[in-house]
Amino acid sequence: LNCSNSKGFSHVVWVPPSYTNYHYCDPWYQVAFVLTTGVNSAYVLGYSGSLMVPLGWVGGTVGLLLAAAVSMYANTLLGRLHLLGGKRHIRYRDLAGHIYGPNMYKITWAMQYVNLFMINTGFIIIAGQALKALYLLVSADGAMKLPYCIAVSGFVCALFAFGIPYLSALRIWLGFSTIFSLTYIFAACVLSLKDGFRTPPRDYSIQGDPSSRVFTTIGAAASLVFAYNTGMLPEIQATVQAPVVKNIEKALWFQFTAGSVPLYAIIVIGYWAYGNQTTTYLLNNVTGPVWIKAVANLAAFLQTVIALHIFASPMYEYLDTRFGSKVGGPFAMHNVIFRVGVRGGYLAVNTLMAAALPFLGDFMSLTGALSTFPLTFVLANHMYLVANRQRLSSLQKSWHWLNIVFFTVLSITAAIAALRLIARDSKTYHIFADV
């Protein structure tokens, strides 16, 4: 890592595979780009179908704005806890363990693991869909089924994971990720606009009987919060320059303002162009020049490889710290072999699940329900309440308890709705389906 001190003198430091030695040299705008990469990852190609179709114009628009507001608030609370007790807490589980004790340390890590595992599985599904769409543009024989494309995607993600030993090493790749994101977002928006002006009036009605609409609405609410949250803010905040809290708040403001503009654009334009026929991978809807669609799909595939690495980094850090060697540099042969074995095995499990159950919208709903709600909203509010109980007024305490209860109930109902959606799709499609 190239770091500079307050006087401008540069030096080079190496973060060993164990990640035990963090260097706080990342400027706030690099952290902002990490957060923005997560928001504008290739998942945005699915939000028109997974959010707007079940919620409609009013519900979808209001839901997006409300989800942004509560997410910004919850993440700000979490960012302010980073220096609790005069110590920097560089992992989510470390922060929970400091506040609650060792048992909550383990529970928080389990929830975060589930969150990141599900996110990574979804990324591999998206990468497989992009690869399949790219293949169909050059060949119509249908030989490359979605499970095969998912397998190839998992292999490429593993190769990238072997070569990038830690999160801060992504520096230049974040620039490439931004270029890839703008490429598929711009292409999808332009082609959707063209289709929208040329096609007859679309149907924006919400489909399904009243009971199914209730479940899809709840599932979409879970996807709404999933769209904005990483579930790993303390890990991202771990290397930011001082003043830590001020800089993470700058990064969050960027994420939820300018950083979210592409997200809103593609969601609104995609739904406007295709109505309730919008798919959970928008590039399957668009028509236009083959080369533009090919570039967009390739950009989505490559961006997914980079974004997955961001969300897999806490798991890699845990594996490296627990089982890795603390001897030699990150590219010493024994450390590279370790990454190949451990990270390759982890991604192999992700890839197998992605190929077996490639229902992207359902995965977003389940991830939001099981982990995003508890980690980002329930736990953040309760940790802030516990840590600041002596300084909060009765009204402020009541406000945080209202958030805790509300999001707990919403998490439970959203999990039930998401499991119902997965069970429904599992009956419609067989395992390893070519959807």
Side-chain angles (χ1 to χ4, degrees):
L1 295 176
N2 291 318
C3 302
S4 297
N5 61 21
S6 59
K7 297 181 180 179
F9 295 106
S10 297
H11 62 288
V12 178
V13 295
W14 169 64
V15 181
S18 66
Y19 292 78
T20 56
N21 184 18
Y22 276 81
H23 295 269
Y24 314 121
C25 60
D26 292 342
W28 73 267
Y29 50 83
Q30 179 172 327
V31 177
F33 273 107
V34 171
L35 293 169
T36 303
T37 294
V39 171
N40 294 298
S41 69
Y43 271 112
V44 299
L45 295 169
Y47 292 145
S48 295
S50 61
L51 298 180
M52 301 300 288
V53 170
L55 296 176
W57 276 120
V58 176
T61 303
V62 173
L64 280 169
L65 296 177
L66 284 177
V70 297
S71 297
M72 173 68 187
Y73 174 72
N75 279 283
T76 299
L77 292 181
L78 194 57
R80 290 174 180 174
L81 293 173
H82 187 73
L83 293 173
L84 188 64
K87 175 185 175 183
R88 291 187 70 147
H89 301 280
I90 60 176
R91 302 177 184 90
Y92 211 131
R93 58 189 184 275
D94 292 339
L95 178 59
H98 176 81
I99 294 175
Y100 301 114
N103 289 334
M104 198 61 193
Y105 172 96
K106 297 175 183 177
I107 293 173
T108 304
W109 173 225
M111 287 192 299
Q112 191 180 32
Y113 173 82
V114 170
N115 182 57
L116 298 175
F117 181 85
M118 297 294 288
I119 290 174
N120 294 335
T121 300
F123 271 127
I124 295 176
I125 294 173
I126 298 172
Q129 289 180 328
L131 202 58
K132 180 185 175 183
L134 183 61
Y135 176 80
L136 292 176
L137 290 173
V138 298
S139 176
D141 60 12
M144 280 290 287
K145 306 296 184 183
L146 181 59
Y148 306 152
C149 294
I150 287 175
V152 173
S153 301
F155 179 73
V156 175
C157 289
L159 290 178
F160 189 77
F162 303 156
I164 307 295
Y166 40 79
L167 187 59
S168 284
L170 276 173
R171 287 176 178 268
I172 190 171
W173 292 104
L174 294 175
F176 283 117
S177 176
T178 301
I179 294 171
F180 294 145
S181 296
L182 294 175
T183 298
Y184 60 71
I185 289 174
F186 182 76
C189 287
V190 170
L191 295 178
S192 296
L193 282 170
K194 177 184 68 65
D195 289 344
F197 284 120
R198 291 183 179 180
T199 56
R202 276 74 66 193
D203 182 6
Y204 298 109
S205 62
I206 301 174
Q207 303 296 301
D209 58 80
S211 61
S212 65
R213 285 172 60 178
V214 170
F215 284 103
T216 54
T217 299
I218 296 173
S223 296
L224 279 169
V225 298
F226 170 84
Y228 292 106
N229 296 284
T230 63
M232 49 179 282
L233 187 69
E235 287 80 1
I236 294 174
Q237 193 176 359
T239 60
V240 71
Q241 293 175 348
V244 183
V245 174
K246 183 177 180 180
N247 280 334
I248 197 64
E249 289 183 353
K250 285 182 181 179
L252 287 170
W253 275 111
F254 182 88
Q255 174 195 352
F256 285 97
T257 53
S260 295
V261 170
L263 168 78
Y264 295 136
I266 196 169
I267 291 175
V268 171
I269 293 173
Y271 184 59
W272 169 79
Y274 308 106
N276 57 25
Q277 298 304 307
T278 310
T279 66
T280 54
Y281 184 67
L282 186 60
L283 292 178
N284 285 336
N285 281 105
V286 301
T287 61
V290 171
W291 72 270
I292 295 180
K293 293 194 291 182
V295 169
N297 280 293
L298 180 60
F301 174 78
L302 294 174
Q303 197 277 341
T304 298
V305 174
I306 299 171
L308 183 147
H309 190 80
I310 294 174
F311 288 93
S313 289
M315 189 62 202
Y316 297 158
E317 178 267 327
Y318 170 76
L319 293 171
D320 289 352
T321 301
R322 183 70 180 273
F323 304 108
S325 170
K326 297 176 177 62
V327 179
F331 293 103
M333 183 57 66
H334 63 281
N335 286 327
V336 173
I337 293 173
F338 174 82
R339 288 201 296 273
V340 170
V342 174
R343 297 185 183 187
Y346 173 74
L347 289 173
V349 176
N350 280 124
T351 303
L352 180 62
M353 176 172 283
L357 298 170
F359 313 124
L360 181 61
D362 299 350
F363 267 98
M364 288 191 289
S365 297
L366 187 61
T367 303
L370 291 180
S371 51
T372 306
F373 274 131
L375 283 173
T376 306
F377 300 103
V378 178
L379 199 55
N381 273 279
H382 194 266
M383 286 194 300
Y384 192 82
L385 180 64
V386 173
N388 297 280
R389 63 163 63 96
Q390 303 300 328
R391 294 188 291 272
L392 296 177
S393 66
S394 298
L395 182 60
Q396 289 173 316
K397 291 178 181 179
S398 298
W399 164 249
H400 287 293
W401 274 116
L402 178 64
N403 282 313
I404 293 166
V405 173
F406 174 76
F407 286 112
T408 298
V409 173
L410 195 55
S411 175
I412 294 170
T413 55
I416 295 171
L419 290 172
R420 181 181 180 273
L421 291 172
I422 291 177
R424 181 200 65 188
D425 286 338
S426 298
K427 292 178 182 178
T428 305
Y429 303 100
H430 58 78
I431 300 295
F432 299 102
D434 183 32
V435 295

